[in-house]
Amino acid sequence: MRKLYVLSLLLLIILGSSAVSASILEYSSKITYDYSLETDKIKDLSLSLLALAVATDKAESLDRKKLWEVTEKLLSHQNGDGGWGYFYGSVSSVPDTGYALLALGTALEKFEGEYDKEYKIKRAINRGVEFLLDNYNGEGWGYLKKMPTSYYPTLIAVVALSSLNRGYPYTEIAFSNVLKNTIPEKPEELALWILAYYNIYKEEPTNVVEKLIKSVKEDYEYPLAAYVLLKVRGLDFEAAKLLAKAESYNESWTSPYYPIYTTMAFSLVSESIIPQGEDKLAKYCALLENMQNEDGGWGIYKGSPSDVRVTYYALMSMKICNPQSEAVYRGLEFMRREMEKNKELILMDGKLRDEYLYALLALLEYRSLDWNERKVERALIESSEWGFAYGKQPLTTALAIKALLKMGADKTTPIVKENIEWLLRIKKNGGWGFIFRTVIVDWNYAPEYPATIEIFNVLWPLVDEEDLKDTIELLRKTPPRIEWQKLYAYLSLSEKSIEPYWSPEISESENNSLTVAMLVRYYSMFPGVAKVNLYSVITELKDKNVSMITTTEVLKDTVKAMLKDNFNIIVNETVFADPELLEVPERGNWIVIAPISAVKVHEYNADVKVRVGEEIKVNDLPVEGKAILFIIPGRNRNGNLIFILYTEPKEYAEKLAEVIFSQPIIKYIHGKCVVITWKDTNNNGNVEIEEIDMKFLK
């Protein structure tokens, strides 16, 4: 097995071009996995497992099956007393037990919910912790049981126990008595000391971190130092320099610890790929068409008898999907038959019917009636009674008005004007419903849904907003309880730029035709907002040609160079836009450069909300600076977006971009949003590295 590892190492060095083209995380994690299978040295096996656990879900070649394979190997090497020895079967020691616990604590997080595996790992951890606590001598730890206190085993024990939130107060006592005032010299021990301090005091020991940075010399020490900085400080310029230096050894490293520490470090600046979400609009268009009956109509549920009202709403949504489809043709044929059937009834008793009006409106929406046909239908409506045996009905009246308007009438036409006034007059509590009128009683059951929504939509362009003020408040405050009606109310308000006090509950039903029809309209207006991160977008755009829409010439060139040099993303088309008229493309891969106020980023990234007012806030966190740049990933209907947004005046943002986009840190940007700020602390007007701050929203 060792020959296999050495051969892998030699191949890596010889085939340098492969290492360059492949992700360094992918490459280092593969080598680490191979090494973990061959080594029986507990420290190396434990560090390999720790690295693989951190990289799982981030390196494509790693999965939980491989991780469990290595975890199970380490579990099988535990001794009967709960500890681990230098090699499999050797006497238990404090340092080796500490390394094993560090690894298992990290691996445990990856098997959450897999109860059998969780139990085995937790049991091993508990036994290992008991071993360490049994070996505590009141001051610290020695290498073996009953040995006097030594620095290195105490350091490992404190790091392991504090990482697991176990061993209090022994860890604090040991750190204070043995470790705190004796700073080690070796980079590996410095790294452990920093992690121990950070675990106990929850703050960065700045001076010791600086000492670690200055002390690294060997190839494997650079990724180790980068890992520690990323753990206690996050990605900054120093961490980026260490990552870049570590990556420079990817063709020439010789120590087995290099791929292990490289896997650990680069996992912290890598993210899981979030796949492109399904096209919800396409999904519900296909589903709606599939719910159509043989006769061309739609029922409440697939296979239920066709209903004229349901078919009307289905056809209104099919206009969004494909107005030229065979399904639409068959639906209109169904509506024509229904219109003619109900017309015969109207001619018999003179009473207008909703079924007739819904069928007529569908045909009018699709311009399926010629001039003579429209003339006949208009005459029929004007000569009929707008209701039935129990009186004139608000919904029938509104539908009749809507049909007349589509056949040449306007709001000043006497019959239209008269009935608009009647609808406003009989409105009750802000809405409309059903009127029950006999010689004995005169009841107005209102407000009811969906009548109130439909009538509101008909009246909106015909009357003053003040006339509908109470209706607006009703819809904003009191949504319908039925899902499709609630969606319809939400869409009706949103189309008019009215924000309700409630949000729709999207259950994404696939059974109810009316709900599916409303979901088509919903996703045409509100495309499913993506959850996305920079790693996913950059990975998908890497080695591809993209388009750019920009509001500034200078930033255009700076961003183009940054994308090409760091990610090999090539901009092959550029469109200039006025900031006030900028529209984010709905499809395709785009780089968007614009003022922060010109783009509603939360429509393209569900996890990022930017508020621009007296102060700028990102997810409610204030952001300040003389110039601010935002790098935000997003997604449209079928493509990926990278937003480079800036604060005004743009000249300052351009200066900031020229400096920051040439730094190695850009290569390692990650998270859901990067915020780069410049504060001109020396007031010389020049952007200097020391004046720049960078934050990553995870």
Side-chain angles (χ1 to χ4, degrees):
M1 287 295 289
R2 185 164 297 279
K3 288 182 179 179
L4 176 63
Y5 174 73
V6 172
L7 179 59
S8 298
L9 186 58
L10 288 172
L11 283 172
L12 177 62
I13 295 170
I14 294 167
L15 302 177
S17 59
S18 298
V20 172
S21 62
S23 157
I24 188 167
L25 175 59
E26 285 294 326
Y27 221 76
S28 63
S29 61
K30 286 177 183 177
I31 298 297
T32 300
Y33 172 71
D34 289 342
Y35 183 56
S36 71
L37 298 182
E38 79 163 72
T39 186
D40 280 319
K41 189 177 176 182
I42 296 301
K43 174 186 174 181
D44 292 7
L45 175 59
S46 299
L47 287 174
S48 296
L49 175 58
L50 173 59
L52 295 172
V54 175
T56 298
D57 298 328
K58 297 177 180 180
E60 292 182 17
S61 60
L62 279 178
D63 55 29
R64 281 169 177 73
K65 182 179 179 181
K66 289 181 178 178
L67 183 63
W68 180 247
E69 182 182 11
V70 182
T71 304
E72 205 166 29
K73 180 178 177 180
L74 182 59
L75 292 174
S76 71
H77 287 13
Q78 189 173 27
N79 292 329
D81 60 4
W84 282 263
Y86 189 79
F87 286 110
Y88 173 49
S90 60
V91 63
S92 297
S93 74
V94 168
D96 293 295
T97 301
Y99 278 116
L101 290 175
L102 269 174
L104 290 174
T106 305
L108 177 62
E109 299 171 9
K110 299 296 181 178
F111 295 107
E112 184 178 0
E114 297 184 49
Y115 301 114
D116 181 55
K117 294 183 175 78
E118 275 190 302
Y119 171 76
K120 290 178 180 178
I121 297 172
K122 286 179 179 178
R123 183 171 180 272
I125 288 174
N126 288 334
R127 293 176 62 219
V129 169
E130 287 179 14
F131 173 84
L132 288 183
L133 296 181
D134 286 345
N135 280 269
Y136 178 69
N137 60 21
E139 180 188 32
W141 283 266
Y143 281 90
L144 302 174
K145 196 166 187 176
K146 296 183 179 179
M147 277 191 171
T149 300
S150 292
Y151 190 91
Y152 184 64
T154 299
L155 180 58
I156 299 294
V158 170
V159 174
L161 290 171
S162 61
S163 295
L164 294 167
N165 292 316
R166 306 282 285 272
Y168 177 84
Y170 304 142
T171 49
E172 286 81 347
I173 294 170
F175 190 87
S176 180
N177 291 341
V178 181
L179 306 174
K180 192 170 185 178
N181 297 319
T182 306
I183 310 301
E185 297 298 325
K186 295 179 181 178
E188 186 177 44
E189 293 182 4
L190 273 170
L192 290 168
W193 193 98
I194 292 166
L195 292 174
Y197 185 97
Y198 184 76
N199 288 343
I200 292 171
Y201 299 108
K202 309 303 179 188
E203 63 182 24
E204 173 195 337
T206 307
N207 292 337
V208 185
V209 171
E210 295 304 320
K211 182 176 180 179
L212 172 64
I213 294 169
K214 293 175 182 177
S215 69
V216 294
K217 295 176 182 177
E218 302 296 329
D219 56 8
Y220 69 92
E221 293 172 349
Y222 287 99
L224 173 61
Y227 173 77
V228 171
L229 259 69
L230 291 166
K231 288 286 286 184
V232 303
R233 185 187 289 178
L235 181 61
D236 64 3
F237 292 104
E238 289 297 338
K241 289 177 188 175
L242 291 167
L243 288 168
K245 186 68 175 177
E247 194 167 1
S248 72
Y249 284 104
N250 67 350
E251 297 179 37
S252 58
W253 50 267
T254 56
S255 166
Y257 293 115
Y258 174 87
I260 292 172
Y261 293 141
T262 296
T263 300
M264 291 163 59
F266 281 87
S267 292
L268 296 186
V269 290
S270 296
E271 299 167 296
S272 303
I273 289 182
I274 301 175
Q276 183 85 25
E278 66 178 333
D279 188 335
K280 294 292 183 67
L281 179 59
K283 171 186 174 179
Y284 284 102
C285 281
L287 186 60
L288 183 61
E289 185 169 340
N290 189 50
M291 298 176 85
Q292 188 176 29
N293 290 329
E294 287 295 323
D295 62 6
W298 277 263
I300 292 289
Y301 303 102
K302 183 177 181 179
S304 63
S306 294
D307 178 90
V308 177
R309 184 187 64 167
V310 176
T311 301
Y312 169 77
Y313 287 118
L315 284 170
M316 293 307 98
S317 292
M318 288 300 296
K319 281 189 75 174
I320 297 168
C321 301
N322 182 2
Q324 304 297 324
S325 68
E326 177 66 21
V328 168
Y329 174 79
R330 291 173 54 227
L332 292 174
E333 286 297 301
F334 170 81
M335 291 302 240
R336 184 175 284 276
R337 293 194 300 272
E338 288 297 314
M339 184 185 77
E340 295 299 332
K341 182 175 73 175
N342 280 280
K343 187 194 297 187
E344 291 179 9
L345 298 175
I346 296 168
L347 291 171
M348 288 173 57
D349 62 16
K351 298 185 185 302
L352 210 54
R353 286 162 170 77
D354 292 351
E355 292 81 2
Y356 163 80
L357 290 166
Y358 277 121
L360 172 62
L361 282 167
L363 294 168
L364 290 169
E365 288 282 355
Y366 279 90
R367 299 183 180 181
S368 295
L369 298 178
D370 61 29
W371 185 85
N372 285 324
E373 287 175 315
R374 292 198 301 273
K375 184 178 178 181
V376 169
E377 305 311 327
R378 177 172 176 175
L380 179 64
I381 292 173
E382 291 177 340
S383 63
S384 301
E385 183 180 339
W386 293 7
F388 49 89
Y390 296 113
K392 185 175 181 178
Q393 296 301 316
L395 179 59
T396 307
T397 300
L399 295 175
I401 290 171
K402 187 174 182 179
L404 289 174
L405 292 172
K406 288 186 175 296
M407 293 187 291
D410 60 40
K411 66 180 182 180
T412 64
T413 302
I415 192 171
V416 173
K417 184 173 183 292
E418 172 190 329
N419 281 286
I420 290 173
E421 292 171 353
W422 179 78
L423 284 172
L424 292 175
R425 193 165 58 250
I426 59 103
K427 180 171 48 168
K428 182 179 178 182
N429 298 325
W432 297 267
F434 172 73
I435 288 178
F436 183 82
R437 182 170 291 145
T438 69
V439 293
I440 301 173
V441 296
D442 189 353
W443 290 337
N444 183 359
Y445 295 96
E448 285 189 337
Y449 296 116
T452 294
I453 307 168
E454 195 66 72
I455 296 167
F456 170 66
N457 286 330
V458 171
L459 291 179
W460 177 259
L462 305 175
V463 301
D464 293 335
E465 186 173 335
E466 186 66 26
D467 293 324
L468 296 173
K469 185 177 180 180
D470 53 349
T471 308
I472 292 170
E473 284 305 296
L474 171 69
L475 292 171
R476 293 180 79 190
K477 292 180 178 178
T478 313
R481 288 178 294 177
I482 298 173
E483 184 178 13
W484 80 267
Q485 295 176 6
K486 191 171 185 178
L487 277 167
Y488 190 24
Y490 186 83
L491 291 165
S492 298
L493 290 171
S494 298
E495 287 167 350
K496 301 167 184 62
S497 300
I498 300 170
E499 187 173 351
Y501 302 134
W502 46 271
S503 298
E505 297 169 3
I506 309 298
S507 68
E508 302 197 347
S509 168
E510 298 184 3
N511 300 317
N512 186 297
S513 299
L514 286 167
T515 302
V516 171
M518 292 303 159
L519 284 170
V520 168
R521 292 180 59 180
Y522 178 84
Y523 284 115
S524 71
M525 186 180 294
F526 306 104
V529 182
K531 285 185 174 291
V532 66
N533 56 38
L534 277 163
Y535 180 69
S536 300
V537 168
I538 289 171
T539 299
E540 292 182 32
L541 295 183
K542 206 165 189 176
D543 302 322
K544 290 182 180 176
N545 292 331
V546 301
S547 301
M548 174 183 284
I549 184 167
T550 181
T551 57
T552 160
E553 179 76 31
V554 175
L555 271 178
K556 175 205 74 172
D557 295 331
T558 307
V559 171
K560 272 187 177 182
M562 178 269 289
L563 293 172
K564 183 177 184 298
D565 294 344
N566 289 283
F567 311 113
N568 201 32
I569 298 172
I570 311 299
V571 177
N572 64 349
E573 176 191 9
T574 302
V575 178
F576 286 91
D578 184 319
E580 295 183 3
L581 302 176
L582 183 141
E583 292 185 4
V584 178
E586 289 192 7
R587 297 183 181 276
N589 298 318
W590 288 83
I591 311 301
V592 180
I593 304 173
I596 186 65
S597 58
V599 178
K600 296 178 180 178
V601 293
H602 64 274
E603 294 182 1
Y604 307 95
N605 186 325
D607 294 314
V608 180
K609 290 187 178 179
V610 179
R611 299 182 185 276
V612 181
E614 292 183 3
E615 62 179 352
I616 297 174
K617 289 186 175 182
V618 180
N619 288 5
D620 293 325
L621 297 174
V623 182
E624 296 179 348
K626 191 164 187 175
I628 308 173
L629 288 171
F630 303 83
I631 307 176
I632 304 173
R635 281 189 171 135
N636 54 23
R637 289 199 184 280
N638 67 350
N640 294 280
L641 305 166
I642 297 178
F643 294 100
I644 310 291
L645 306 178
Y646 59 87
T647 53
E648 299 283 6
K650 67 181 179 183
E651 290 75 20
Y652 291 146
E654 289 166 350
K655 286 183 180 181
L656 175 58
E658 286 176 3
V659 174
I660 193 64
F661 287 166
S662 64
Q663 299 298 316
I665 194 171
I666 289 298
K667 192 172 184 179
Y668 308 111
I669 58 173
H670 61 284
K672 296 166 183 173
C673 172
V674 179
V675 182
I676 307 165
T677 56
W678 168 50
K679 294 182 179 179
D680 190 12
T681 53
N682 59 15
N683 296 313
N684 68 357
N686 297 322
V687 179
E688 299 169 15
I689 288 294
E690 296 76 17
E691 300 173 327
I692 298 175
D693 185 37
M694 184 178 286
K695 289 184 170 59
F696 300 83
L697 179 65
K698 296 183 179 180

